[in-house]
Amino acid sequence: MTSHLAYLLLGVGSGAAIALLGIGVVLTNRASKVVNFGHAAMGMWTAYVFYDFRETGRLALPIPYRRVFGWTLPDALVHPNLLARPTLFTALVVVMADAAVFGLVVYGLLFRRLRSAPPLGRVVASIGLFLYLYATAAVRFVDVPRTRAILPTGSIHVFGHLVFVNRLVIAAIAVGVTSALWVITRFTRFGLATTAAAESEKGAALIGLNPSRLAAINWMIASMLSGLALILIAPINSLDPLAMSLLVVPALAAALLGGLNSIVVVAVSGLAIGMLQAELVNVGGSVHALAGLGLQEGVPFLLILVALVVRGRTLPTRGDPLEDRLPESPEPRAVVPLGVLALAGGIAVMLTAGSDWRAAVITSSIAVVTSLSVVVLTGFVGQISLAPFAFAGVAAFSLIRLGDAGVPFPLAPVVAVLITVLLGVLVGIPAVRVRGMSLAIATLGAAVAIEQLAFKWSWFVGDHDVPEPKIGGVNLSVSGRGALYPRAAFGVMVVVVTVTCAVLVSNLRRSRTGLAWLAVRDNERAAAATGINVGSAKLTAFAVSACLAGVAGVLTAYERQTISETSFQVFFSLAVLAITYLMGVASVSGAWAAGFIAPLGVFVLLRTGALPTEVSRYEFATNGLLLMVVAVAYPNGLTAAVRHARRWIGRRITRPRAQRTAANA
């Protein structure tokens, strides 16, 4: 009992940081109807800026590129020098002001323009912000700034247990901030005006309020809160771009437990989550079978599921707004001829081209299959999933375990994919009651939980070497010496599987199942009225999507030969959704285009002339930036923009022709 209480007290500090982040999520959601998945990433960037500014006196700006179109940006623009030796107080004041301006810029340039956008547009924009800030921090801060303590480092006895003072100070700050915001929300003109605007922007505007100005102020406060939370917690948890950015998951759990409304409940939930996570660390350390598992990361996912399932409804009510407007999903045409052409082209590359071209086509082909899993679930059914790489990882590690058990090829990959399908259905069960932004939160929590629980389970991960695919006397492995790597036989297998998946998805889109998916996507109540089983349609889509992700995971395992728990991080799931949305999330052609521009794929080879050894962090920053731009300028994706341009040109050509025909008649 003694150790349990000690660990609960130890988790007060991280719980306070989660509480501050959760309050920021609530403020931005109430102000602009945005659940910002990049909220913790904004705080991460501010924390890096603070500790770098405290050491150097230079204020880093979120610009990853030092050269733009051949022009080198001046250092004064990218990293302006403000003070020689800033004090702690000066550094806090300057960086908090910088965080406020940062929140204002993010709202004004991005989310203000997405107020009327569908949930998917807002989700992918915030994911683009996440990717951009993560990559920018990794590029700009190669040398991690020193996190000098800014709070007292001593310890005191609480209920007979030794507790670090800095944890208690962080908790006191969180309580003070929560109290101040509660008073502001309940008793000031600004707080009441914000509440009114959250209820009805049109009504608020009619009584003379400015919803955009109110939203901007709330975004500034939320940005300062996220920065303050991660500045305070950095000396305890250390600066790490990805780990700090993923603190948005427990923050979302706290926000959901508060109904995305109650600041006090969110703060209490955040503190409780942090304390419970610390206790689970204690349990994992004391029970040998649980050693190494990220039990504390699974708690937010379970809390998210409970909150969503309890609050969710099987069908939206008549009064619910129809927010799930998604890009047009064109019917695939000439599926067989295009499939044969793609198959012939891929096989020709494998049999005649050099090593780099074979590797690029293999990488792009696997990326096509992964993107198809996003197209099926998000593009065809409107269920926003942020866990495709988690499913891929489950299939990959299952393949290794099955190989160790003596299951031969091709039975082993088939069984591995079936295991992934079962997991996909289990994760999809909450989709029967939740949708849109809420489902995106749930699947993000699921992806983090799978990564921390399954991929850190020594029995499941075990030996990282992937068994070679051999059937009879035919070796289909990727292994080859020198220019023979990757082997053409493996490449042909990947191309055949990819084209088969694309053809099957195209035919599904045209089948009764696909039409039912589209009906559910457009209007669940109307679909149910016509006799469509909405729950069954959603679960079927989750199963097909998980199957495709599993196929991609198996192919990835065979391609890499050795995989680890970091091979399928949640970050890559976000990148897959980003690229797929960028190119067209509701069409099979969008998946092909996403595979074409995938990291280390065909487009990279065409652009550079040779494949790099690893993915450039600049590429993730570029993808994040493009995603934000496309979300604002082309909400339906680039392929939809191309289709629209083609139709416009066609109308411009046919209209004069029709006018001339009428004149001659």
Side-chain angles (χ1 to χ4, degrees):
M1 184 66 184
T2 301
S3 65
H4 296 306
L5 182 57
Y7 270 89
L8 287 172
L9 292 174
L10 193 65
V12 168
S14 60
I18 293 170
L20 291 174
L21 288 170
I23 291 172
V25 170
V26 170
L27 291 178
T28 55
N29 181 71
R30 291 182 66 197
S32 53
K33 300 179 182 178
V34 172
V35 175
N36 182 14
F37 289 90
H39 180 65
M42 293 174 66
M44 174 273 299
W45 174 259
T46 300
Y48 267 95
V49 170
F50 171 79
Y51 287 104
D52 180 66
F53 178 69
R54 198 177 174 201
E55 293 294 323
T56 65
R58 304 168 69 193
L59 192 68
L61 300 180
I63 303 174
Y65 316 103
R66 301 306 297 266
R67 291 180 61 84
V68 179
F69 302 117
W71 180 54
T72 301
L73 297 177
D75 195 58
L77 175 64
V78 179
H79 213 156
N81 194 355
L82 298 186
L83 295 171
R85 296 179 62 84
T87 64
L88 172 60
F89 178 77
T90 304
L92 274 174
V93 171
V94 171
V95 172
M96 284 296 98
D98 177 70
V101 174
F102 186 31
L104 179 62
V105 170
V106 169
Y107 170 71
L109 294 183
L110 184 60
F111 291 108
R112 184 175 182 271
R113 301 169 181 269
L114 295 170
R115 291 182 70 86
S116 59
L120 179 59
R122 285 174 267 157
V123 167
V124 297
S126 64
I127 290 174
L129 180 65
F130 180 110
L131 296 175
Y132 180 80
L133 291 177
Y134 161 75
T136 301
V139 169
R140 293 292 305 277
F141 298 105
V142 178
D143 298 323
V144 180
R146 185 161 66 97
T147 54
R148 287 190 290 169
I150 61 175
L151 297 176
T153 57
S155 58
I156 60 174
H157 284 83
V158 178
F159 302 119
H161 300 287
L162 200 65
V163 180
F164 293 108
V165 175
N166 54 6
R167 270 77 166 178
L168 298 179
V169 173
I170 297 173
I173 292 173
V175 171
V177 169
T178 303
S179 302
L181 288 174
W182 181 80
V183 170
I184 291 172
T185 302
R186 295 291 298 273
F187 302 108
T188 67
R189 177 177 173 81
F190 167 74
L192 296 175
T194 299
T195 302
E199 292 292 332
S200 172
E201 288 187 11
K202 186 177 293 185
L206 289 175
I207 62 175
L209 299 177
N210 188 329
S212 295
R213 183 181 301 167
L214 293 171
I217 296 173
N218 278 279
W219 270 87
M220 293 169 70
I221 296 172
S223 180
M224 294 170 68
L225 287 179
S226 66
L228 177 63
L230 295 187
I231 287 172
L232 295 176
I233 205 69
I236 300 173
N237 291 357
S238 77
L239 284 172
D240 179 81
L242 186 57
M244 296 180 82
S245 299
L246 287 177
L247 284 175
V248 72
V249 176
L252 288 170
L256 285 173
L257 289 174
L260 287 172
N261 183 45
S262 174
I263 291 175
V264 174
V265 176
V266 171
V268 173
S269 300
L271 285 167
I273 290 172
M275 296 171 71
L276 185 56
Q277 285 182 323
E279 169 59 13
L280 287 173
V281 172
N282 178 35
V283 172
S286 59
V287 180
H288 179 72
L290 301 178
L293 289 181
L295 288 176
Q296 68 274 19
E297 305 297 339
V299 172
F301 172 59
L302 295 177
L303 294 175
I304 286 171
L305 285 186
V306 170
L308 291 179
V309 172
V310 169
R311 294 175 183 275
R313 295 182 295 269
T314 304
L315 288 175
T317 62
R318 181 174 296 179
D320 286 347
L322 295 176
E323 287 190 314
D324 295 330
R325 178 169 45 86
L326 284 166
E328 176 189 0
S329 179
E331 181 179 353
R333 300 183 182 277
V335 173
V336 174
L338 290 176
V340 171
L341 182 63
L343 183 63
I347 293 175
V349 169
M350 295 303 158
L351 298 179
T352 62
S355 175
D356 275 359
W357 271 103
R358 294 197 303 273
V361 171
I362 289 171
T363 300
S364 285
S365 298
I366 296 174
V368 169
V369 180
T370 311
S371 293
L372 284 171
S373 72
V374 177
V375 168
V376 166
L377 192 57
T378 302
F380 292 169
V381 195
Q383 302 299 291
I384 306 171
S385 174
L386 303 179
F389 252 79
F391 294 140
V394 168
F397 287 116
S398 298
L399 176 69
I400 296 176
R401 295 280 65 79
L402 291 167
D404 292 343
V407 180
F409 179 86
L411 183 59
V414 172
V415 175
V417 171
L418 290 177
I419 292 172
T420 308
V421 170
L422 177 61
L423 178 64
V425 173
L426 291 175
V427 172
I429 288 175
V432 176
R433 297 180 64 87
V434 298
R435 53 195 56 81
M437 192 81 74
S438 298
L439 185 62
I441 296 172
T443 54
L444 177 62
V448 173
I450 291 171
E451 179 185 332
Q452 295 296 326
L453 295 175
F455 298 167
K456 291 186 178 180
W457 186 14
S458 57
W459 178 86
F460 183 61
V461 176
D463 184 13
H464 296 174
D465 292 333
V466 181
E468 292 186 342
K470 296 179 180 179
I471 181 169
V474 181
N475 183 2
L476 297 175
S477 70
V478 73
S479 301
R481 292 184 178 180
L484 294 179
Y485 177 87
R487 295 180 68 250
F490 176 76
V492 170
M493 179 181 71
V494 170
V495 169
V496 170
V497 171
T498 299
V499 173
T500 302
C501 290
V503 170
L504 290 176
V505 170
S506 298
N507 288 332
L508 265 176
R509 161 62 183 81
R510 299 188 297 181
S511 68
R512 294 186 63 180
T513 299
L515 295 177
W517 286 347
L518 293 176
V520 170
R521 186 189 86 152
D522 291 340
N523 191 319
E524 291 185 24
R525 288 180 59 84
T530 61
I532 296 174
N533 188 323
V534 174
S536 177
K538 289 182 178 181
L539 290 180
T540 302
F542 263 95
V544 174
S545 177
C547 177
L548 292 166
V551 171
V554 166
L555 294 178
T556 299
Y558 282 136
E559 178 199 19
R560 298 184 183 179
Q561 298 178 285
T562 300
I563 58 175
S564 67
E565 58 272 15
T566 61
S567 300
F568 300 96
Q569 291 179 311
V570 66
F571 172 76
F572 297 116
S573 290
L574 302 182
V576 166
L577 178 63
I579 295 175
T580 308
Y581 181 85
L582 186 68
M583 304 311 294
V585 74
S587 65
V588 176
S589 59
W592 280 106
F596 177 75
I597 68 167
L600 304 182
V602 173
F603 178 72
V604 175
L605 180 59
L606 289 172
R607 189 184 66 197
T608 62
L611 283 181
T613 56
E614 61 182 15
V615 180
S616 169
R617 298 214 182 252
Y618 289 103
E619 191 157 345
F620 287 121
T622 301
N623 287 340
L625 182 60
L626 286 175
L627 187 61
M628 290 185 283
V629 171
V630 170
V632 173
Y634 303 103
N636 294 336
L638 294 180
T639 53
V642 171
R643 287 195 301 270
H644 182 269
R646 189 172 63 238
R647 292 171 185 168
W648 183 84
I649 293 173
R651 287 195 299 268
R652 298 287 291 184
I653 293 174
T654 56
R655 189 179 302 163
R657 184 182 303 166
Q659 291 174 350
R660 288 195 300 270
T661 303
N664 293 333

